[in-house]
Amino acid sequence: MYPPRMAKIIQHETIIPEDLAGLRLDQALAKLFPQYSRSRLKTWLDNKKIKVNDEYWQPKNKVSGNEKIIIEAKLEEETKHCAESIKLEIIYEDDDIIIVNKPPGMVVHPAIGNRNNTLLNALLHHSPQLKELPRAGIVHRLDKDTSGLLMIAKTLEAHTNLVKQLQDRKILREYKTIVQGSLISGNTIDAPIGRHPRQRIKMAVVDMPNKGKPAITHYRIIERFQNYTYIKVKLETGRTHQIRVHMAHIHHPIVGDQAYGGRLKLPKGASAELIDALQQFKRQALHAYKLGLKHPLTGEFMSWEADIPEDMKILLSIISH
């Protein structure tokens, strides 16, 4: 067990430049302190941790320039979850970021029914200071049964930067997956995604105005088989279950996807080996194999790749015969 950490003290003192005159206070602070999220700055304003000319202002108050700003706050723990000694496959790590290769079957964030043995629990053991960051620094997620690369921020500045890169669609995310049916060629799927109208735990392509969020998926063929296709997928947006929903939408669901693929369909004339392999493959055959980003401190573009896991290799080998 690690000893409890003292909350980090944040102290800043600056003058609002005249070129920010006319902005709301919260907008001016966001420009002056980009290392902190707007929600965190607003919380500090609401909790009287930020003084303007030795007074406490409302976020909506307009600045004129030359106001003196003093911030005195604590970085309180953002997560109360427990650290657990769980093996992690770390692809890369420095003082600002961690890149991990998540195995299939591992939940990313603790939730009802999955409080322990998650990636977050493992990260808190590996780097206890992550308790001070939202979601222990985890910037994006993968479904429990999707394997592959995930990025984690180790500092608040890195977290804010990576979240913005994600929002601005600057993060490179590519996947490999095995889908049902023989695709003719690569293509782009541009179809909005929202909550399924009847099954609320699922997502769906939603054509009704204002019900779905824009979702764009690009795919190209790696190898085509008689009844299946092995493809690369590149995300332009990052909606929940996006690849799974989009591939099902074009009638080529991911092999093993029990939520969006429907009942298991065995191809005509399938060998006993293939039938057994398909029946035993209980997860979506989806792997996040490539991740690229601008390093939050240096600005250098970096990318990593992780080979597909053994279960997908075995399935591909059987399908190809």
Side-chain angles (χ1 to χ4, degrees), residues 29-193:
L29 291 174
K31 290 184 177 294
L32 287 171
F33 302 102
Q35 67 269 43
Y36 306 122
S37 66
R38 292 195 177 205
S39 61
R40 186 180 293 273
L41 289 168
K42 184 179 183 302
T43 298
W44 285 345
L45 284 169
D46 292 342
N47 293 338
K48 301 188 184 308
K49 304 299 183 184
I50 302 178
K51 285 185 177 181
V52 184
N53 292 338
D54 292 323
E55 296 178 345
Y56 298 112
W57 284 24
Q58 295 296 315
K60 64 182 180 180
N61 289 4
K62 298 287 183 69
V63 301
S64 303
N66 295 311
E67 290 93 346
K68 181 181 178 181
I69 302 294
I70 297 177
I71 300 178
E72 291 185 353
K74 289 182 180 179
L75 275 185
E76 303 290 351
E77 287 187 359
E78 291 272 354
T79 178
K80 303 299 182 185
H81 298 291
C82 296
E84 295 182 56
S85 180
I86 301 169
K87 184 179 178 181
L88 287 172
E89 184 181 350
I90 296 177
I91 303 298
Y92 175 84
E93 182 175 11
D94 61 24
D95 290 340
D96 302 283
I97 58 175
I98 305 173
I99 308 297
V100 300
N101 185 21
K102 185 187 84 68
M106 175 180 267
V107 174
V108 173
H109 295 116
I112 295 173
N114 290 292
R115 294 292 185 190
N116 303 103
N117 300 313
T118 72
L119 177 65
L120 186 146
N121 298 121
L123 287 167
L124 291 177
H125 183 270
H126 176 74
S127 296
Q129 75 272 19
L130 294 178
K131 274 186 175 289
E132 297 169 352
L133 302 182
R135 298 183 182 273
I138 300 170
V139 177
H140 61 134
R141 69 176 66 195
L142 294 174
D143 296 332
K144 173 186 175 183
D145 291 325
T146 298
S147 56
L149 297 175
L150 278 165
M151 57 183 170
I152 296 96
K154 293 178 70 176
T155 69
L156 195 56
E157 293 82 358
H159 186 269
T160 302
N161 180 285
L162 292 176
V163 167
K164 188 172 191 311
Q165 286 191 54
L166 197 62
Q167 292 171 341
D168 294 343
R169 303 184 185 181
K170 298 293 178 64
I171 301 293
L172 173 66
R173 289 173 294 165
E174 294 189 11
Y175 296 70
K176 290 181 179 179
T177 185
I178 307 166
V179 299
Q180 296 179 28
S182 186
L183 287 162
I184 303 302
S185 64
N187 207 338
T188 294
I189 306 169
D190 186 349
I193 290 176

Side-chain angles (χ1 to χ4, degrees), residues 8-27:
K8 183 180 178 181
I9 304 299
I10 300 296
Q11 292 180 313
H12 294 289
E13 186 172 324
T14 191
I15 301 295
I16 294 183
E18 292 183 356
D19 61 0
L20 297 185
L23 291 181
R24 289 166 45 120
L25 174 59
D26 55 357
Q27 295 172 331

